[in-house]
Amino acid sequence: MTQVKMTVNGKAASGDVEGRTLLSSFLREQLNLTGTHVGCDTSQCGACVVHVNGEAVKACTMLAAEAQGAEVTTIEAMANADGSLSVIQQAFQDHHGLQCGFCTPGMVMSAAALLKENPKPTEREVRVYLEGNICRCTGYHNIVKAIMAASGQDVSRIAAE
Amino acid sequence: MYNFDVETPTSIADAVKALGREEAQPLGGGQTLIPTLKQRLASPSVLVSLTGIAEMKGVCMTDDGQLAIGGATPHAVVAREAARHYPGLADLASHIGDPAVRNRGTIGGSLANNDPSACYPAAALGSGATIITDKREIAADDYFQGMFATALDEGEIVTEVRFPVPEVSHYQKFVQPASRFALVGVFVARFGDGVRVAVTGASNDGVFRWTEAETALSSNFAADAVNGLALSGADMISDLHGSGDYRAHLVGVMTKRAVAAAR
Ligand SMILES: Cc1cc2nc3c(=O)[nH]c(=O)nc-3n(C[C@H](O)[C@H](O)[C@H](O)COP(=O)(O)OP(=O)(O)OC[C@H]3O[C@@H](n4cnc5c(N)ncnc54)[C@H](O)[C@@H]3O)c2cc1C
Ligand code: FES
Ligand code: FES
């Protein structure tokens, strides 16, 4: 066991971990931040996306020990300070960007990373950016629409409702 | 996953020392190794993380005009920082996997793994790059030794990769839609003294140079120059995503598209 210390959602967090402890396991099982989902064993679904030092990473494909000293942001920190939904989250609700919601934490974290890098993406850029986020329910159109809406763009001409 | 220790050295010298421990293995971005460990297909007792080694990260031009990339540099950084110097290579890096994979996965890890469908091996072979390790320098032509096989010794670290910069180049990737890897990918690079063509995703022997196409394109750098050239499907990977003949055909198509798009 080694001790890891990091900043999670702006607060100091620490715990004893094994070498093999994944960042996703540390967040979910030791910090009880279960908003970060784990949907696969193959690093392909993106349900576990969090931000490490401001960059989107798959928390299931990084060891907790590698996050020593890092700033980690999870879906739990995405709402506004007063508890209301952030612009991206509200857009997912308004445009029906989720059904079962399993993929949604990763979708929102990826969307936030995209809009930070590219505040007004085209529809194609949104679709390409989400290549590593799989959704079994929605068929993606409304997720894309929500992200376009969150970026302040007109979404009336985007496919499917 | 079986358990293991994690070492986080901050210099190449300390990493080499840590790799001297029994059953130690380097950990790059973990984008291949961690899923492999989850399946218990590997059981190292120590993982030596390379991503905290500053001297193994970054992109710069050398005095003799080559592009040098640290072995622990993530794909996303190459996509951004190599764009001015070697656009064909930066474009390749920007299409590996997805954004989260590109933020962690490294060039050294990709070249050490030498997946038969990976993208960087095509760029390294197609550019005639030099793979620099903690022990020696290896020419790309000698480095790749078949599927998942390289000239690296156990525990040897890819610390840097040096790319001669071509006049024009392009990587054309036919994406396997489930994995995002290359079903077939072709890297074409035109240098002052000739053209190199490297093919990934297709052969049972891993990345290879298509020498007939190199000869044809060296005398006439136009998509039509490869008309009439054909590879045999017999030596190609055949799986549920495509037969050997299909892949052999795709190599020709991707080569033409790469030539047409080369900048
Ligand atoms: C969803 C997904 C999609 C992907 N799509 C693509 C794609 O389209 N194209 C593509 O090319 N790749 C793709 N990859 C693979 C990705 O590029 C990996 O990052 C890469 O293959 C391995 O690099 P890594 O730094 O993550 O290495 P790791 O996973 O850490 O290590 C891989 C192997 O290399 C060894 N190693 C690592 N670094 C070094 C080093 N510096 N020196 C010596 N040995 C080292 C390790 O011991 C291990 O054996 C994808 C991966 C995922 C999860
Ligand atoms: S749980 Fe991380 S990619 Fe699927
Ligand atoms: S809403 Fe169910 S997986 Fe995306």
Side-chain angles (χ1 to χ4, degrees):
Chain A
M1 290 280 188
T2 46
Q3 200 192 36
V4 289
K5 290 186 181 170
M6 60 190 88
T7 305
V8 179
N9 299 334
K11 284 189 258 168
S14 64
D16 291 329
V17 298
E18 292 184 319
R20 65 179 161 183
T21 305
L22 298 168
L23 179 59
S24 53
S25 314
F26 179 69
L27 294 170
R28 290 177 52 82
E29 291 155 31
Q30 285 178 255
L31 303 183
N32 293 324
L33 294 171
T34 54
T36 298
H37 289 173
V38 175
C40 73
D41 274 340
T42 50
S43 306
Q44 284 174 309
C45 77
C48 63
V49 170
V50 300
H51 298 177
V52 176
N53 298 328
E55 292 185 330
V57 306
K58 294 177 180 175
C60 75
T61 317
M62 179 169 178
L63 303 173
E66 293 182 282
Q68 184 77 268
E71 299 259 350
V72 179
T73 307
T74 70
I75 188 70
E76 282 86 353
M78 293 311 276
N80 298 321
D82 65 0
S84 61
L85 296 181
S86 68
V87 172
I88 295 173
Q89 290 171 314
Q90 189 60 52
F92 269 68
Q93 188 181 78
D94 292 346
H95 296 278
H96 307 286
L98 65 156
Q99 288 180 24
C100 79
F102 196 87
C103 69
T104 313
M107 289 289 180
V108 169
M109 298 311 286
S110 283
L114 166 64
L115 296 185
K116 194 174 77 169
E117 193 180 300
N118 181 359
K120 293 259 182 281
T122 61
E123 179 180 344
R124 173 150 177 79
E125 285 169 340
V126 174
R127 290 184 188 276
V128 169
Y129 198 90
L130 294 181
E131 276 183 355
N133 290 86
I134 292 174
C135 176
R136 298 299 301 271
C137 304
T138 64
Y140 303 97
H141 293 315
N142 288 347
I143 292 174
V144 175
K145 200 168 189 176
I147 296 171
M148 295 293 283
S151 72
Q153 303 186 78
D154 176 23
V155 293
S156 53
R157 292 179 53 219
I158 292 174
E161 187 50 65
Chain B
M1 248 190 285
Y2 297 114
N3 201 15
F4 44 79
D5 288 345
V6 179
E7 298 251 16
T8 50
T10 53
S11 70
I12 295 171
D14 286 349
V16 169
K17 211 178 297 163
L19 283 164
R21 288 178 61 183
E22 205 158 313
E23 298 198 43
Q25 189 177 350
L27 172 67
Q31 302 302 293
T32 295
L33 185 52
I34 292 177
T36 308
L37 292 167
K38 287 182 190 175
Q39 292 179 52
R40 294 189 165 180
L41 294 174
S43 53
S45 47
V46 188
L47 285 188
V48 180
S49 167
L50 305 175
T51 47
I53 302 176
E55 60 186 313
M56 275 179 63
K57 293 174 99 162
V59 176
C60 70
M61 290 301 291
T62 62
D63 293 340
D64 61 349
Q66 301 204 44
L67 182 72
I69 301 179
T73 311
H75 311 328
V77 172
V78 176
R80 272 197 307 273
E81 296 184 7
R84 264 182 316 136
H85 308 294
Y86 190 166
L89 181 69
D91 185 64
L92 172 145
S94 75
H95 289 94
I96 295 176
D98 57 59
V101 167
R102 294 194 287 274
N103 283 336
R104 295 289 303 164
T106 67
I107 186 168
S110 178
L111 293 177
N113 196 50
N114 193 20
D115 187 296
S117 303
C119 302
Y120 268 130
L125 191 60
S127 308
T130 305
I131 287 85
I132 300 174
T133 76
D134 56 308
K135 297 186 190 151
R136 54 189 169 140
E137 302 193 355
I138 311 169
D141 283 317
D142 303 322
Y143 176 86
F144 299 103
Q145 302 194 345
M147 249 192 211
F148 296 107
T150 69
L152 294 177
D153 293 333
E154 192 102 342
E156 189 172 359
I157 309 173
V158 176
T159 54
E160 186 182 315
V161 189
R162 284 208 190 153
F163 292 88
V165 179
E167 295 164 354
V168 298
S169 65
H170 189 72
Y171 176 62
Q172 193 73 39
K173 175 179 178 183
F174 193 91
V175 175
Q176 199 269 78
S179 74
R180 328 282 338 150
F181 277 74
L183 186 67
V184 166
V186 177
F187 194 91
V188 170
R190 191 187 75 202
F191 291 89
D193 59 356
V195 174
R196 290 175 72 109
V197 178
V199 180
T200 189
S203 170
N204 280 318
D205 293 326
V207 67
F208 70 96
R209 283 172 67 184
W210 188 14
T211 46
E212 291 86 352
E214 291 182 348
T215 309
L217 290 166
S218 294
S219 55
N220 174 22
F221 193 72
D224 287 348
V226 298
N227 281 351
L229 297 183
L231 284 159
S232 158
D235 306 326
M236 300 289 167
I237 300 169
S238 200
D239 59 18
L240 80 165
H241 306 295
S243 66
D245 287 342
Y246 179 68
R247 280 185 165 84
H249 177 72
L250 264 186
V251 174
V253 177
M254 293 297 114
T255 303
K256 286 184 172 193
R257 288 187 190 171
V259 171
R263 297 279 175 282

